[in-house]
Amino acid sequence: MQQLLFAVVLFEVVVIMALSFKTPIRKLLIMSLDRSKRGRGPVVIQTVSATVIVLLVTSVYNMMGIQKRWIEDGVVNPTDEVIMAKHLLESTLMGGFLFLGLMIDRLHHYMRELRIRRKNMEVIKKEGALLEGVKARGLDEVKNLMEEITSLRKRQEQLDSELEARSKEIRTEKTSAVALQKQSEGFLIEFNRLLEENQVLRDQLHTVDSKLSRSSSKKNT
């Protein structure tokens, strides 16, 4: 059992050393640990750990019994010394086994978390680069829109000035039209007056003609 514990502890030390440095072996170990935590792997690990804990408690209890017997007897038995040394060695190895196993589990957990965080960081960096590209394109579009707005404002100012000039022309034309209308009304009044005078003159001529006709007829008779 001691040789098995020695081999297991040595193997755990090698695993910890391999996980501590970036080597191709570390990837294989991480993949193996990932697989060991799937399916029935956790149940097997818990069972082995519980068995080792029970053996460790038993060994510690035996050592406490031997030490108590030494205190009561006041004499150290060589056989008890050998058994005490055996239990102490086994307890140390089992404790080391559990402690190193816990270290391997925590190292694997932290390395997996670190790998996930690195992948997330890569995704975030890609998204950031994509957003930067979109932002740059957006800035270009905003710049183009601002230039278009500036040109449209200039065009609007030009159209406003043209509209104002046209409005002035229309007001001038309206004023001229009103003056022409008044002038035409004056001409119409003058025309009507002339027509009336012409009619009066015609009436007068007709009267004169009538008188001349009567006077000529009287002379002839």
Side-chain angles (χ1 to χ4, degrees):
M1 183 176 177
Q2 293 178 2
Q3 294 179 354
L4 178 62
L5 288 172
F6 268 120
V8 173
V9 169
L10 182 61
F11 175 74
E12 288 178 336
V13 171
V14 173
V15 170
I16 291 174
M17 293 297 292
L19 291 175
S20 301
F21 299 98
K22 188 176 182 180
T23 58
I25 300 175
R26 185 169 72 175
K27 294 182 179 180
L28 296 175
L29 288 174
I30 292 173
M31 292 175 62
S32 300
L33 291 171
D34 289 336
R35 291 179 180 176
S36 66
K37 290 185 178 181
R38 299 172 187 171
R40 296 182 179 179
V43 177
V44 174
I45 293 172
Q46 291 175 4
T47 303
V48 173
S49 300
T51 303
V52 173
I53 290 172
V54 170
L55 292 175
L56 177 62
V57 171
T58 303
S59 181
V60 172
Y61 180 77
N62 291 330
M63 285 190 295
M64 291 176 64
I66 293 171
Q67 189 175 8
K68 183 178 180 181
R69 189 164 56 250
W70 286 353
I71 294 172
E72 291 177 353
D73 295 340
V75 180
V76 178
N77 190 351
T79 304
D80 290 339
E81 286 185 354
V82 174
I83 295 172
M84 184 72 170
K86 177 178 176 295
H87 284 308
L88 181 61
L89 179 60
E90 290 179 352
S91 299
T92 303
L93 291 174
M94 286 186 286
F97 166 76
L98 294 173
F99 178 72
L100 293 175
L102 180 62
M103 284 187 63
I104 291 172
D105 179 69
R106 291 296 88 194
L107 277 174
H108 175 252
H109 174 73
Y110 293 140
M111 293 180 75
R112 185 175 58 185
E113 289 291 328
L114 181 62
R115 184 173 56 188
I116 293 172
R117 290 180 182 273
R118 283 179 179 175
K119 288 182 179 179
N120 293 333
M121 286 298 295
E122 290 178 358
V123 173
I124 292 171
K125 286 181 179 179
K126 290 180 180 179
E127 292 179 353
L130 182 61
L131 289 175
E132 287 293 333
V134 172
K135 183 179 179 181
R137 289 195 297 272
L139 290 175
D140 293 335
E141 291 178 358
V142 170
K143 185 178 179 181
N144 294 329
L145 288 174
M146 291 297 293
E147 291 177 355
E148 187 175 355
I149 290 170
T150 303
S151 63
L152 289 174
R153 284 180 178 175
K154 290 181 180 178
R155 180 60 179 169
Q156 183 180 4
E157 292 176 357
Q158 184 180 359
L159 291 173
D160 290 338
S161 61
E162 291 179 0
L163 180 61
E164 187 177 357
R166 293 289 178 85
S167 299
K168 288 181 179 179
E169 290 178 0
I170 291 171
R171 288 195 295 269
T172 304
E173 290 177 358
K174 283 184 178 180
T175 305
S176 301
V178 171
L180 289 173
Q181 186 178 2
K182 290 181 179 179
Q183 188 177 2
S184 63
E185 289 177 355
F187 288 156
L188 182 60
I189 294 169
E190 184 68 21
F191 179 73
N192 291 330
R193 187 182 63 79
L194 291 174
L195 284 176
E196 290 176 356
E197 290 179 357
N198 187 18
Q199 186 66 34
V200 172
L201 288 174
R202 283 182 180 181
D203 292 339
Q204 290 177 355
L205 286 173
H206 182 69
T207 303
V208 171
D209 288 337
S210 297
K211 289 180 179 180
L212 288 174
S213 299
R214 284 195 300 270
S215 63
S216 295
S217 62
K218 286 180 181 182
K219 286 180 181 182
N220 289 329
T221 56

